Amino acid sequence: MSVSLVMLPVALAMRVVMGKESFEEWLRSNEARVTTELRSQAELLRTVRSAGYDADDWGGLIKTHIDGEKEFMWWRMEDGKWIAIFSKFQVPAISDRFIQDLEAKTGRRIFVREDAPPAAAVAERERTSIYPTNFRDGTLLMETLERFGIQAQVQADGSITAALGRSPVVFRPAGETAPYSVEIGEAPDLRGTFEQLSRVDEAYKQGVQGAALATLRERIRGRNMKIEREEVLEDRSVLLTLTIGGG
């Protein structure tokens, strides 16, 4: 098992919106990694727990809460060294405070900063982040946004600007058949932004399915076929039962 994102509720929403491969690539790109002087798991557990923090095994990774129960980070062994893995979406002061507190309580240097201040080594937060999406049809995307009461505008270059909560977003087309990417501006509530984006994604996919069904019904009409039954399955796919000929 490989888990590297701190904000798991956001991760679940992101995986739905982005798909497995794009999501895992996004995870890796948003890791803030800091090398440590710790060499064994026993040393890691003893050091972290002696400072009053938890250190629990999660399928080969070690999980540690760093701000009560609100935030946590991971430890992972790479090339004989334990690496501290934070999320770039964490407030840098939280990670910085944890680093300083752990070293102060244990009375030793643990993190290899390479002359960079802790906050700079832990998180370099960009004002704008870009992610892939499943959206391909700009017209359907606009209709879906409007259904959620989200005001959106189509720009001269084909991009769509909107606001998800307090976050400005830009959906940019990547070509006639390629999906849009979404640029998210500085987000005061990233979790809320992705939860809303996930709801838009689900409604968009239902719209795609509805359009496909309408096209299929039109093709069936006038031919020697009849739709006997339409059944919505648990995964929200639709099963059509057709009668061919005979009336």
Side-chain angles (χ1 to χ4, degrees):
M1 181 180 73
S2 177
V3 181
S4 55
L5 183 65
V6 173
M7 297 169 60
L8 289 181
V10 171
L12 295 177
M14 283 297 298
R15 194 184 192 284
V16 171
V17 174
M18 300 171 66
K20 183 175 182 293
E21 292 184 3
S22 295
F23 173 71
E24 290 180 350
E25 180 181 350
W26 177 79
L27 282 183
R28 290 190 293 271
S29 70
N30 284 287
E31 288 181 350
R33 300 150 54 87
V34 183
T35 303
T36 78
E37 300 283 354
L38 304 171
R39 293 296 178 267
S40 70
Q41 181 167 326
E43 182 185 15
L44 168 65
L45 297 179
R46 182 175 61 254
T47 301
V48 174
R49 290 170 179 171
S50 70
Y53 293 97
D54 59 359
D56 300 319
D57 187 358
W58 274 60
L61 300 175
I62 303 297
K63 174 185 173 184
T64 295
H65 287 89
I66 61 175
D67 186 28
E69 295 296 319
K70 301 177 185 176
E71 302 277 353
F72 54 90
M73 49 80 66
W74 305 97
W75 307 89
R76 181 165 63 207
M77 172 64 78
E78 294 183 3
D79 299 325
K81 300 178 182 179
W82 282 95
I83 307 296
I85 302 174
F86 301 90
S87 168
K88 289 183 180 179
F89 297 113
Q90 282 178 322
V91 176
I94 294 176
S95 306
D96 190 9
R97 184 166 59 246
F98 168 73
I99 288 176
Q100 294 178 341
D101 187 59
L102 185 61
E103 292 189 330
K105 288 181 176 177
T106 57
R108 57 172 291 192
R109 170 177 144 151
I110 297 172
F111 299 91
V112 180
R113 303 186 183 89
E114 298 179 355
D115 298 326
V122 172
E124 297 175 0
R125 306 182 72 192
E126 299 178 354
R127 296 182 62 87
T128 300
S129 300
I130 303 175
Y131 311 105
T133 76
N134 292 318
F135 309 131
R136 296 175 181 269
D137 186 325
T139 300
L140 180 58
L141 175 57
M142 284 288 294
E143 293 174 356
T144 305
L145 291 171
E146 290 173 359
R147 284 176 53 193
F148 283 88
I150 299 172
Q151 295 185 349
Q153 293 183 332
V154 180
Q155 305 301 318
D157 62 355
S159 63
I160 298 173
T161 57
L164 298 181
R166 292 179 291 168
S167 303
V169 300
V170 181
F171 298 95
R172 295 194 183 279
E176 293 184 2
T177 59
Y180 283 67
S181 62
V182 60
E183 297 180 7
I184 301 178
E186 190 169 5
D189 180 16
L190 189 65
R191 176 178 303 178
T193 299
F194 281 126
E195 288 176 349
Q196 189 169 11
L197 186 60
S198 181
R199 290 192 292 269
V200 171
D201 175 77
E202 183 63 28
Y204 174 89
K205 287 187 288 189
Q206 292 177 10
V208 171
Q209 183 183 64
L213 282 172
T215 300
L216 180 59
R217 293 189 189 103
E218 186 65 28
R219 290 179 178 177
I220 292 173
R221 187 180 303 161
R223 299 186 179 185
N224 194 27
M225 292 186 292
K226 179 182 178 181
I227 299 176
E228 291 290 342
R229 185 176 62 180
E230 293 188 19
E231 181 181 357
V232 180
L233 305 180
E234 290 185 3
D235 63 357
R236 296 188 180 180
S237 61
V238 178
L239 175 65
L240 298 181
T241 302
L242 305 178
T243 299
I244 301 175

